[in-house]
Amino acid sequence: MSGVLLRLRPIAHATPTATGLHVRGWRSSFTVDGGRGLWTIWERLAGPLAEGVPPERLAVPENASPAVARALELIIGQLREHDLLVEVPAGWGDGGAGDGGTSHRDLGAPPPDIASWLESVAASPLEAWRRLRSTTAVVTGEGAPAAAAHRALTAAGLDVAPVRPGAGLLLTAGPHVVAAGYAAAVGFAVAPGPVADVVADAAALADRLAGAPGTPPEVLAALVGSAAAHRLVCALGGLPDPATEVVDMWSDVPPTGPPHQAVLVARVDPLRAEYHPWLSAVRPREPNGTLLEVLGDRELGPVPTPLPGDLPQLPVKLAASGNAVGFGTTEHAARLDALLRAARELAPAGAVLGADRAHALGLALRTAARHLPGTPVTEDEWSADPTARRWWKAVVLRFALPAAVEVTRVGPGVVRAVVRAAGEELSWAVEARPADAVAFAALAAAGRAQADQARTRPPRADQAQAGQARTLRPPAGVPGPVVLCGAAPFATPDGAAAPWTNRDWHWPHGLRDGEDAFQDGLRALVGEAEPVRLGPVLEAAGLVAFAVPGATR
């Protein structure tokens, strides 16, 4: 190991604190407490580590006092745990011999800025540099974006062939390919991959973004070309894709990677660039992200982003995704409901969509049980329940609907509730308990009435003066009947439940605990539901669909 040095990654920075020190890296940080003397120990340790020390010398001196020994062990252990130490060949960056006797000068010594960058991000800087020098990169394109990509690849130390003419922007280095596109005001760079896949994704993205045709301004061209080059360099060098380097500033937990194919989207006025999840039809991945983040992404999601906007939020939470309006007891539930209603337009006819398998299956089985004969349930069996009473009062008192609810037991542990007003069926629900069935049906009926009132309400004075339309108002009301159910994946309530709370505080959270047993009872009544394929895009988002048992598709 005489040819190897252990260095502190250049990205690491330390700050003294009142009781110790705080060390920050690219993706994580740690704090060591124990007294002001820790900063002195850090300064004596960090100086040699910045230059590099043989790995066997990074140890606690035998003559160190117990307190100093414990401090050194703790700091060195934290540096290793947070990946802030890296091995480099002796002479790395100054033309010396590399590990195993191979001179990295034979590869073309990396400039100091590239050497520092590789020390900051690469697991093995020398191996990454070897990979970068292993092939000649090719830029196919025209104009400023191609020129920017060529400059960026050359600056990273790659051998780059002269630019080849071609439409769009395509960068190739060995088996790695990155495609990019641009218009007058928008540009993008797709994830690296095989040439056929990246070209297909680039074509689909160009159609999705539908930017106005034209030559991009110099700053956008430079951003798109450089971003595409960055992704190619990282793929060739075995480095993390830039999309995985985005870290929540409030969390020290490194991301596990983008939930799907990540695409950089750049726009001007103001100039900005962000990575967005892309539901690729040719490179689908296993779902690894929330539906709201992926399916409703504001740039690349196939359905409009579900938002409350200026829709009223009492007593029912409302959200809209395009023309689809969703309901719920929380904003998250309303946004998810709106998202699923909007996504139905993209699904095959007869498919019952859900946020996951339990939700989709539960909706399909409930739909099959909707018209089963049964025996009436008296009002006494549900009217004493606070949740059912609350939502029923919202229907008949808050919105003054001339409504009636019909509650029927259609099987052992299976109850249906239907809300009608003026001869029209507004909503229905099928649940295990009469109170839950009435609560869901009444919640949906109240939400529908609330959305209809929002549609007919005149715009605010400031909107009227500016001639603005209500951006989230559903233009034709909410098509009914509306179905909400206990199979939905309700978000966990914030904070710990107080000892005196009961189900009425967080309803309907917790109903899914009994969903498997309830679905077994539904199958006994209506039979099995068959899964329905939704295609690579919706399935990559995590959506699941079933056909209604007994229905003809």
Side-chain angles (χ1 to χ4, degrees), residues 138-153 163-172 177-182 187-190 195 198-199 202-203 216 220-230 232:
V138 177
V139 178
T140 303
E142 58 186 17
H150 192 280
R151 288 195 304 270
L153 291 172
V163 175
R164 298 178 181 177
L169 182 61
L170 193 69
L171 312 182
T172 305
V177 182
V178 173
Y182 46 85
F188 62 85
V190 307
V195 61
V198 298
V199 168
L220 181 63
L223 195 160
V224 170
S226 300
H230 188 194
L232 183 71

Side-chain angles (χ1 to χ4, degrees), residues 198-503:
V198 298
V199 168
D201 277 336
L205 278 158
D207 183 64
R208 174 70 179 87
L209 292 170
T215 302
E218 183 72 24
V219 63
L220 181 63
L223 195 160
V224 170
S226 300
H230 188 194
R231 302 195 83 167
L232 183 71
V233 168
C234 290
L236 179 61
L239 306 174
D241 186 79
T244 69
E245 298 297 323
V246 180
V247 180
D248 184 348
M249 64 178 293
W250 302 114
S251 172
D252 284 341
V253 179
T256 58
H260 302 277
Q261 302 293 338
V263 172
L264 182 82
V265 179
R267 293 187 180 274
V268 294
D269 195 25
L271 182 66
R272 58 198 185 276
E274 294 178 305
Y275 282 99
H276 294 266
W278 169 243
L279 295 170
S280 174
V282 295
R283 293 189 283 176
R285 295 186 184 181
E286 289 297 320
N288 180 26
T290 70
L291 287 171
L292 294 176
E293 293 172 346
V294 177
L295 201 61
D297 180 78
R298 70 179 185 278
E299 284 280 9
L300 303 180
V303 301
T305 305
L307 294 171
D310 60 353
L311 290 170
Q313 298 298 305
L314 289 175
V316 183
K317 299 294 184 183
L318 302 183
S321 176
N323 292 337
V325 178
F327 315 102
T329 57
T330 65
E331 179 184 322
H332 181 276
R335 293 181 62 204
L336 180 60
D337 190 45
L339 188 84
L340 293 173
R341 294 181 194 278
R344 288 173 190 167
E345 299 297 324
L346 307 176
V352 179
L353 268 66
D356 55 21
R357 186 182 186 281
H359 188 203
L361 182 56
L363 279 171
L365 295 174
R366 284 168 169 84
T367 302
R370 177 184 177 186
H371 296 296
L372 292 178
T375 58
V377 173
T378 64
E379 185 175 336
D380 293 342
E381 293 191 49
W382 62 265
S383 59
D385 182 84
T387 303
R389 188 168 63 250
R390 171 197 176 190
W391 291 112
W392 183 241
K393 286 170 64 177
V395 173
V396 298
L397 297 180
R398 175 70 179 259
F399 297 107
L401 295 179
V405 59
E406 177 185 304
V407 187
T408 307
R409 182 169 283 103
V410 299
V414 179
V415 179
R416 177 182 63 236
V418 182
V419 176
R420 296 184 178 88
E424 179 185 3
E425 183 176 308
L426 300 180
S427 60
W428 60 270
V430 175
E431 299 294 331
R433 299 173 63 247
D436 288 323
V438 172
F440 274 119
L443 168 65
R448 183 175 180 180
Q450 187 173 317
D452 283 338
Q453 283 190 2
R455 179 179 61 86
T456 58
R457 190 176 74 235
R460 299 192 310 263
D462 59 338
Q463 290 178 325
Q465 291 174 1
Q468 297 174 350
R470 294 175 53 81
T471 57
L472 290 181
R473 185 196 305 164
V478 180
V482 172
V483 183
L484 300 175
C485 76
F490 303 106
T492 302
D494 293 334
W500 59 84
T501 61
N502 54 34
R503 82 172 205 126

